[in-house]
Amino acid sequence: MKLRRIAAATVVALSLFPGTAMAAAPTGSSYEPPMFKHYVALGDSYTSAPLVPLPELLSLGCVRSTSNYPKMLATMLRTYQFTDVSCGGADTTNMTQPQSTLVGTSAPQFNALRPDTDLVTLGIGGNDFGVFGDIIDTCPALRASDPAGAPCKAHFTVNGVDSLKARIVQTQARITTVVKGIKERSPKATIALIGYPKIAPEHGTCPAILPFADGDYAYLYSIEQALNAAIATAAAATGATYVDTFEPSTGHDACAPDGQAWIQGKDINLLRALNYHPRYEGQAGVASLTYKTLTGEPVVVTAAEQAAWAARGRELSRQAAASPQALQASLNRLRTSAQR
């Protein structure tokens, strides 16, 4: 999603997971080679994971986390080589064009692709044509005008046509083109298109966390459904693999209790996640769902997994809180970041 306040805290975390990593192959007669040897992760801020502890030093304006789902997935798959070029604020055009960030220009993400790349994950689409950004910027401000109604839906419906869903149709075509571009550059690659997890619940409201009018919860839900359907359709049209994170994230939306929620609400939390973005639990959930999709395991989230992710998320937040320099760096970035 488009970053409205780019938070690029700079913490030395190279010992955890650098942007490009190579895993040493274990020795012994029982060794089985990994499924994939060279994995490249492409995507926007739902992939880069801004403010999820701990920040990756080298990502600078792309606000990648050392705990984003690509890095977890690379570890789970034991890939020999791994390159994460996801960048907060990216849309499909930044696959082939440079991206301007607060602290410089990020190279086109396709630059990371090679002929021998055999796994590519792509999490993109929410920023195209400003869909998610317009929702976040517009809908909360409209709540006061009709708290029980759906003023956001009315705002984006022009002459009976939902303008946001019309943009999503265009996004589908863009994603299809991106997948074709990946195939041209990495013809042997398995390509996984990663869907977006639930932000709003299917039923109920939580205005203190998601400040939308009551009727606009269903609207936000429908927009996410439409975007994920577009991603799934693009995957089917190009022979890519669609990773459904929407249905399996039921009960883990922003309104869910702490420890269950995958998504941060309206308030930025410097020790957990940027507002309206996945927390550590969400990143771990997407990594798990992607791994299970690729390996053919049941694509479900177990209670034991969720409990382990919540515990690890709390521990990482404690580690971040214990670093005053990291917290101050995040605060400085938030104070000085330009609106995007």
Side-chain angles (χ1 to χ4, degrees):
M1 288 186 183
K2 190 70 74 176
L3 301 185
R4 287 303 187 260
R5 292 281 183 181
I6 298 180
T10 54
V11 176
V12 177
L14 299 179
S15 61
L16 291 176
F17 294 103
T20 301
M22 179 177 288
T27 59
S29 59
S30 62
Y31 168 67
E32 294 183 6
M35 292 176 60
F36 304 103
K37 294 182 178 180
H38 181 221
Y39 165 30
V40 173
L42 313 173
D44 59 22
S45 58
Y46 261 56
T47 301
S48 66
L51 293 184
V52 173
L54 300 166
E56 179 190 293
L57 175 64
L58 297 182
S59 71
L60 299 175
C62 286
V63 289
R64 286 191 294 270
S65 168
T66 61
S67 299
N68 65 5
Y69 75 75
K71 294 179 178 65
M72 294 189 225
L73 180 63
T75 300
M76 296 165 75
L77 291 171
R78 299 180 297 111
T79 53
Y80 288 151
Q81 292 182 304
F82 164 59
T83 306
D84 179 7
V85 290
S86 60
C87 195
D91 63 25
T92 54
T93 66
N94 299 123
M95 300 301 104
T96 57
Q97 299 173 22
Q99 179 182 347
S100 176
T101 74
L102 181 68
V103 292
T105 300
S106 180
Q109 294 190 27
F110 272 8
N111 285 9
L113 298 175
R114 303 191 322 224
D116 66 340
T117 299
D118 56 4
L119 175 63
V120 178
T121 58
L122 173 66
I124 206 74
N127 290 331
D128 282 77
F129 305 104
V131 169
F132 277 170
D134 282 354
I135 290 175
I136 292 169
D137 285 349
T138 303
C139 298
L142 294 174
R143 173 180 165 80
S145 67
D146 187 8
C152 186
K153 180 178 180 180
H155 175 85
F156 287 111
T157 302
V158 181
N159 296 325
V161 176
D162 188 317
S163 61
L164 293 184
K165 290 182 180 177
R167 296 183 215 173
I168 289 172
V169 173
Q170 296 174 283
T171 298
Q172 179 180 313
R174 281 187 171 189
I175 295 173
T176 299
T177 299
V178 167
V179 176
K180 291 177 180 178
I182 295 171
K183 288 188 169 186
E184 290 172 359
R185 293 161 176 81
S186 302
K188 299 177 182 179
T190 294
I191 303 170
L193 301 191
I194 314 299
Y196 290 89
K198 290 183 179 178
I199 301 172
E202 186 173 7
H203 304 290
T205 64
C206 58
I209 297 172
L210 292 179
F212 291 71
D214 292 354
D216 281 330
Y217 279 77
Y219 182 59
L220 173 57
Y221 193 91
S222 74
I223 292 297
E224 261 210 284
Q225 280 183 312
L227 179 57
N228 280 313
I231 297 169
T233 300
T238 56
T241 298
Y242 173 62
V243 179
D244 179 13
T245 69
F246 189 77
E247 289 304 324
S249 62
T250 298
H252 302 292
D253 53 80
C255 292
D258 191 46
Q260 292 294 320
W262 287 10
I263 305 294
Q264 181 69 18
K266 66 179 178 63
D267 297 320
I268 294 171
N269 187 325
L270 293 172
L271 302 177
R272 300 200 72 175
L274 195 66
N275 54 339
Y276 301 108
H277 282 72
R279 298 173 173 179
Y280 174 85
E281 293 92 328
Q283 292 293 322
V286 172
S288 175
L289 293 170
T290 304
Y291 178 84
K292 291 173 181 177
T293 299
L294 292 172
T295 58
E297 297 181 27
V299 185
V300 296
V301 175
T302 68
E305 284 178 316
Q306 182 62 37
W309 299 336
R312 179 59 177 161
R314 288 191 293 269
E315 174 58 29
L316 288 172
S317 293
R318 284 194 290 268
Q319 290 180 28
S323 175
Q325 296 86 355
L327 186 58
Q328 187 59 50
S330 295
L331 286 168
N332 290 342
R333 291 295 187 191
L334 290 171
R335 291 191 185 110
T336 60
S337 294
Q339 292 289 335
R340 290 182 56 83

